[in-house]
Amino acid sequence: MSFSRRGGLHGDRSPPLRRPEETAMPVATTAPLGAPIWIDLATSDLDRAQQFYGAVFGWTFESAGPEYGGYVTAFRDDHPVAGLMVNDPQWNAPDAWTVYLHTADIEATVAKATAAGGTSCVAPMEIPAKGWMGMLTDPTGAFLGLWQPTGHRGYGIVGEHGAPVYHQLTTRGYGAALDFYRTVFGWTTETVSDTDEFRYSTALFDGEALVGVMDGSNIPGEAPSNWCFFLGADDVDKTVALVTDHGGSVVRGAEDTPYGRLAAVADPTGAGFNLSSIQS
């Protein structure tokens, strides 16, 4: 859905993912307002990206054609799970994924966001018969998309192999970020940990933790605030092996956590994402 973006990175700590018994039925109608509703990839090699994600996750693909700039929708078991598009060199940005949040009134959301210290990067635009999209940075510099659906309702399946299971914001301005998303998107947040070593909150939607917010100020280096996501994997180790077999790379190897087995990887052109185990 996006026509411009900036890159994102992974968080360095394991998030409090939903346990399988807490997860609703995986087939989705649409995401709650304020929650992630879609992800898409800007890639410098669209054909290679389709080969990679098809081999690793069994995704199939359908192009929307020239009317939509060659935008490609990825499907898992006939359910839409992600979008892919060509990374225009004029954007001067690395290949990267973007997370979109659901809004019912994109103009009002942009106005709230700018009033709360965010920056509008791409003004709301209509995607005919699909919805309205826009791009923001929050006050801490994290880049995100907005999606107001009409014909395109976002994820068709969640919490399954090859489908999104969780999203996370890692921010170098933890308090400011929480204030921003509460104000603009109406988030209800819950503190998971509040120590100098690990500071983490979750955003609850109908009582379900769908988003994590991690204090990234203690992460070494100059990694910017960023949004990332986790794709489900029936077997994380085998999926990591498929990633490397098909030209991707490992950012952080698979490890067991209280929330499942997790890993961070990148596709062949460097766009990063995370993996999370799926348990029946």
Side-chain angles (χ1 to χ4, degrees), residues 1-3 5 40-43 46 71 83-87 91:
M1 298 166 192
S2 161
F3 297 92
R5 60 191 25 58
D40 68 11
L41 171 68
T43 176
L46 188 58
Y71 193 90
L84 297 84
M85 67 182 302
V86 173
N87 187 358
W91 297 339

Side-chain angles (χ1 to χ4, degrees), residues 52-59 76 161-163 231-233 239 242-243 273 275:
F52 172 81
Y53 290 99
V56 174
F57 294 109
W59 287 0
R76 173 70 183 171
H161 178 84
L231 294 177
T239 304
L242 283 172
V243 166
F273 59 97
L275 302 171

Side-chain angles (χ1 to χ4, degrees), residues 20-266:
E21 63 269 24
E22 296 173 344
T23 305
M25 292 296 292
V27 175
T29 53
T30 193
L33 286 172
I37 189 172
W38 193 240
I39 52 175
D40 68 11
L41 171 68
T43 176
S44 54
D45 193 333
L46 188 58
D47 289 339
R48 191 178 187 192
Q50 291 177 80
Q51 293 168 3
F52 172 81
Y53 290 99
V56 174
F57 294 109
W59 287 0
T60 56
F61 304 92
E62 181 179 302
S63 174
E67 179 184 359
Y68 293 95
Y71 193 90
V72 173
T73 300
F75 297 83
R76 173 70 183 171
D77 295 333
D78 297 323
H79 297 286
V81 291
L84 297 84
M85 67 182 302
V86 173
N87 187 358
D88 191 326
Q90 295 182 64
W91 297 339
N92 193 30
D95 289 1
W97 286 92
T98 296
V99 174
Y100 292 78
L101 301 186
H102 184 192
T103 175
D105 187 335
I106 196 167
E107 296 280 0
T109 299
V110 171
K112 280 186 178 180
T114 54
T119 302
S120 176
C121 302
V122 176
M125 66 174 66
E126 185 176 12
I127 312 301
K130 304 295 183 182
W132 288 78
M133 59 80 63
M135 296 288 173
L136 298 172
T137 55
D138 71 21
T140 75
F143 183 74
L144 67 147
L146 300 175
W147 184 245
Q148 179 184 328
T150 54
H152 189 297
R153 308 300 295 176
Y155 301 136
I157 190 171
V158 295
E160 293 285 291
H161 178 84
V165 299
Y166 196 70
H167 302 76
Q168 179 174 291
L169 169 65
T170 302
T171 175
R172 303 192 78 85
Y174 179 76
L178 289 175
D179 288 343
F180 175 81
Y181 290 96
R182 290 183 192 120
T183 298
V184 177
F185 296 98
W187 283 8
T188 296
T189 58
E190 182 176 81
T191 301
V192 175
S193 177
D194 191 19
T195 68
D196 289 341
E197 291 75 26
F198 185 48
R199 190 165 284 111
Y200 201 101
S201 291
T202 53
L204 305 178
F205 301 86
D206 297 324
E208 192 171 14
L210 300 182
V211 175
V213 180
M214 187 176 77
D215 183 357
S217 60
N218 291 331
I219 297 175
E222 298 298 324
S225 300
N226 65 91
W227 277 89
C228 68
F229 63 91
F230 292 72
L231 294 177
D234 290 333
D235 186 318
V236 170
D237 295 85
K238 287 183 179 180
T239 304
V240 169
L242 283 172
V243 166
T244 56
D245 287 347
H246 292 277
S249 58
V250 178
V251 177
R252 186 175 63 252
E255 58 182 345
D256 290 321
T257 79
Y259 311 103
R261 192 158 177 81
L262 309 177
V265 296

